[in-house]
Amino acid sequence: GLKHRREVAGKSAIFSGEHFVLEETDWYLLNLFRLWWHYGISFLRLQMWVEEVMEKFMRIYKYQAHGYAFSSLEELLRSLGGDAFVNMTQRSVAESLLEVGVTQRFVDDVIAAVLRSSYGQSVLVPAFAGAMSLAGAQGSTWAVEGGNKLVCSGLLKLTKANVIPARVTGISLHSSEGSALYQVHYEGSEGQGSAFYDMVVVTTPLHPSRSNFTFENFEPPIADFPGAFQPSVTSVVHGYLNSSYFGFPDPKLFPFASILTTDTPDLFFNAMDNICPVNISAAFRRKQPQEAAVWRVFSPQPLDKQQLKTLFRSYYSVQVTEWQTYPRYDAAKSLPPIVLHENLFYLSGVEWVASSMEMIAVAAKNIALLAYNRWHQDLEKIDQKDLMHKVKTEL
């Protein structure tokens, strides 16, 4: 019952702190010409690289449609793109792109801007995460009318899951007739409670800065995994954009709805965009650039009054949300496991491969298939080699 949210046209530009290094126009051919003029064929080489990665990644949907699952992130990646995909979690996107002929200038201007707006990090993020981010930046993404949160609420309704509104505080291991039994402890509005389960999926990040519950009676013990998360601040500002800061003294002439930034030390924000409602009527139009509009600003730190004054001539309201958005990819070099114990699984480790809604959905289905196959001892469906050949044979 989900509907595709209508896209509202709007041009983008990349800002260096002093001027725009690249500006999008209303004409597709002119945009291509500007890319070629500034960066040669780097854009085409980038597109070919991303398309090759995504074409191999899409194999996962065929595998999952046939019930195949993987017991580790390395096995999952290896089944899609061999050792090259595993290596892409250990080397930077900049290194990979330079290797295929993308110029350093294109990396510094365009790739850096995209990664700052998505992950809030530099071109040193791993190549696989970078490829996913760059694929999402090329458009043709799917947004849900009414907000993407409806995906979660719709799934809960569809599965008729029994949701306990409480915070999990710990998991302890017990045994029943030789099989593992997991006691999940939680705290809710009615106090403390617990329940026993044959299978448990942990979806919160198990890292020192995020983990807030304990594992008991496990041998060997289940410890936090190395790594940290990237802090990010989202400021939603209703106000009048200060177009003079971006080189447009007359606000009526400011043409952009989205502004990305290069990796410049003096820049205090990563990106900003003129946002639209989650429900878009047929008559909806963006505000004129001289009118008050709602802007979303991504920054590594909360914006102070002077920084707000730099970006906006005046404003009516500012709503600020600080959160731990994505893994800080320079903080860990190994991928977390999927299987923590016999029937205890870990979902959020996939974020260290790449962090997105699609990756989490893929990982969730993999765990569901893995748990099912392990429970029914269907080992032929787990960690199989040469899966493309097997799938073609089954077809």
Side-chain angles (χ1 to χ4, degrees), residues 3-6 143-150 275-281:
K3 296 180 180 179
H4 184 227
R5 177 175 178 265
R6 183 171 68 89
V144 175
E145 181 74 20
N148 289 337
K149 66 177 183 179
L150 295 180
I275 59 176
C276 302
V278 292
N279 292 296
I280 301 177
S281 65

Side-chain angles (χ1 to χ4, degrees), residues 7 12 35 57 66 144 160 177 210 243 336:
E7 292 188 17
S12 301
L35 283 168
F57 172 76
H66 287 76
V144 175
K160 300 178 181 178
E177 299 179 357
R210 297 292 297 275
S243 58

Side-chain angles (χ1 to χ4, degrees), residues 268-337:
F268 54 88
F269 70 102
N270 294 333
M272 61 187 297
D273 58 335
N274 183 335
I275 59 176
C276 302
V278 292
N279 292 296
I280 301 177
S281 65
F284 178 81
R285 296 291 182 274
R286 288 189 187 275
K287 296 284 189 180
Q288 293 297 311
Q290 72 273 17
E291 297 178 313
V294 179
W295 289 83
R296 175 177 54 187
V297 185
F298 298 109
S299 59
Q301 303 293 334
L303 301 176
D304 58 34
K305 289 187 177 180
Q306 183 57 46
Q307 291 168 338
L308 285 168
K309 188 177 179 180
T310 299
L311 295 177
F312 298 93
R313 289 183 286 126
S314 63
Y315 51 87
Y316 295 107
S317 64
V318 181
Q319 298 181 40
V320 180
T321 302
E322 297 184 52
W323 52 311
Q324 304 287 313
T325 48
Y326 301 106
R328 204 176 74 222
Y329 286 106
D330 61 354
K333 290 299 181 183
S334 60
L335 298 178

Side-chain angles (χ1 to χ4, degrees), residues 228-267:
F229 277 70
Q230 177 75 19
S232 181
V233 179
T234 302
S235 303
V236 178
V237 184
H238 180 207
Y240 297 88
L241 185 72
N242 180 18
S243 58
S244 296
Y245 173 65
F246 299 102
F248 287 81
D250 186 351
K252 293 180 181 179
L253 300 179
F254 189 82
F256 306 117
S258 177
I259 304 167
L260 286 70
T261 61
T262 58
D263 197 357
T264 305
D266 293 336
L267 275 172

Side-chain angles (χ1 to χ4, degrees), residues 165-169 185-193:
R167 184 181 70 85
V168 174
T169 59
H185 306 270
Y186 56 84
E187 289 181 353
S189 57
E190 299 179 357
Q192 297 183 345

Side-chain angles (χ1 to χ4, degrees), residues 105-243:
R105 184 183 178 191
F106 189 80
V107 169
D108 292 340
D109 288 358
V110 180
I111 307 303
V114 172
L115 293 175
R116 279 169 61 84
S117 68
S118 58
Y119 285 138
Q121 297 174 67
S122 74
V123 294
L124 297 180
V125 304
F128 197 91
M132 290 294 167
S133 176
L134 292 163
Q138 293 184 14
S140 302
T141 51
W142 223 89
V144 175
E145 181 74 20
N148 289 337
K149 66 177 183 179
L150 295 180
V151 174
C152 300
S153 59
L155 284 170
L156 285 175
K157 184 178 180 181
L158 187 67
T159 58
K160 300 178 181 178
N162 177 32
V163 180
I164 301 173
R167 184 181 70 85
V168 174
T169 59
I171 300 173
S172 55
L173 174 64
H174 300 268
S175 61
S176 174
E177 299 179 357
S179 299
L181 196 61
Y182 306 99
Q183 185 177 13
V184 177
H185 306 270
Y186 56 84
E187 289 181 353
S189 57
E190 299 179 357
Q192 297 183 345
S194 68
F196 287 90
Y197 298 94
D198 295 310
M199 295 182 183
V200 174
V201 179
V202 179
T203 61
T204 188
L206 295 177
H207 300 277
S209 62
R210 297 292 297 275
S211 180
N212 55 4
F213 65 92
T214 58
F215 294 95
E216 298 178 1
N217 304 330
F218 288 89
E219 190 59 46
I222 298 174
D224 286 341
F225 301 115
F229 277 70
Q230 177 75 19
S232 181
V233 179
T234 302
S235 303
V236 178
V237 184
H238 180 207
Y240 297 88
L241 185 72
N242 180 18
S243 58

Side-chain angles (χ1 to χ4, degrees), residues 24-38:
E24 188 180 16
T25 72
D26 290 321
W27 295 279
Y28 176 73
L29 290 178
L30 181 55
N31 291 333
L32 287 181
F33 175 77
R34 286 186 170 185
L35 283 168
W36 172 79
W37 183 260
H38 287 288

